[in-house]
Amino acid sequence: NDGIYPDLFRGINMKIDLITYNGYSQSSALDAVLDIKKKDIDAVIGSPTTGQTKITSITLGAYDIPLFFYSGTSLGLRNAEDYPNLINLITSDYEEAEIIVHYIISIQSLVYSKDISIILTNDDYPMSLTNYFIQYAQRNGLVINEQQSFNSGSKDVSNQVSKLISGRAKIYVS
């Protein structure tokens, strides 16, 4: 109760315990749930990974135990029908992409441009998110001028950056 928000939990009687389990299996999640029920815990702060959170949420949901998820941005975990007891504490990457588009729209009069250039790694996830970002940006009147990608772990991206700079965009998104 003496942390950053000292008044947040004042007057609330909480039992805090650390319960760990290994792996992504339903049986290890069930072992953790049985331990939670034995200790009469009201809610759980979940795993930092999406895979473990999915399994834990499904298992805890059978016992009506809320699960707080603090680090994942997976859009799949936003489905309240599949994960009714999951309380996600941060926005998804897709929501963040929409926020970036709206921010660019709000500043475009300052930079006198609707043109955007994008640089990203060419892994599956950034490519998928970038495709969503591009579609959302275009639906909102922005123009994608140039898109460059590079291999994850590359130490030299000067060629890609030079191509971006030579274009007409004044707004760059990474």
Side-chain angles (χ1 to χ4, degrees):
N1 283 348
D2 295 328
I4 297 172
Y5 302 104
D7 294 328
L8 187 61
F9 297 110
R10 193 165 311 231
I12 297 175
N13 187 12
M14 286 190 297
K15 182 177 185 179
I16 298 173
D17 200 350
L18 175 64
I19 297 172
T20 61
Y21 65 95
N22 296 318
Y24 289 85
S25 72
Q26 188 79 19
S27 63
S28 62
L30 183 58
D31 289 344
V33 168
L34 294 174
D35 197 20
I36 289 165
K37 291 303 275 183
K38 246 190 301 185
K39 295 179 179 184
D40 197 30
I41 293 174
D42 296 319
V44 173
I45 297 173
S47 164
T49 66
T50 298
Q52 286 180 326
T53 297
K54 286 180 177 181
I55 290 170
T56 306
S57 178
I58 291 166
T59 308
L60 290 173
Y63 296 91
D64 292 324
I65 299 171
L67 174 64
F68 292 91
F69 186 44
Y70 60 90
S71 69
T73 56
S74 168
L75 193 59
L77 291 173
R78 304 287 170 176
N79 186 335
E81 287 180 21
D82 290 341
Y83 307 102
N85 65 317
L86 186 64
I87 301 166
N88 205 322
L89 302 176
I90 60 174
T91 60
S92 76
D93 289 339
Y94 292 89
E95 291 165 325
E96 289 176 19
E98 292 173 7
I99 290 167
I100 291 169
V101 166
H102 289 287
Y103 176 73
I104 291 169
I105 291 168
S106 75
I107 65 162
Q108 68 186 1
S109 64
L110 300 173
V111 294
Y112 308 106
S113 179
K114 290 184 176 191
D115 295 313
I116 300 171
S117 286
I118 300 169
I119 188 166
L120 66 145
T121 61
N122 56 12
D123 301 344
D124 287 341
Y125 186 73
M127 296 298 276
S128 170
L129 183 59
T130 300
N131 290 337
Y132 177 81
F133 175 84
I134 289 169
Q135 292 171 4
Y136 192 80
Q138 289 172 335
R139 280 196 317 264
N140 283 278
L142 299 175
V143 177
I144 306 304
N145 180 263
E146 180 76 36
Q147 179 179 337
Q148 291 291 318
S149 63
F150 58 92
N151 291 328
S152 236
S154 293
K155 296 188 189 303
D156 183 13
V157 295
S158 57
N159 187 38
Q160 290 89 342
V161 171
S162 294
K163 288 179 182 176
L164 291 180
I165 292 172
S166 67
R168 65 176 196 228
K170 298 199 187 307
I171 302 169
Y172 300 93
V173 177
S174 172

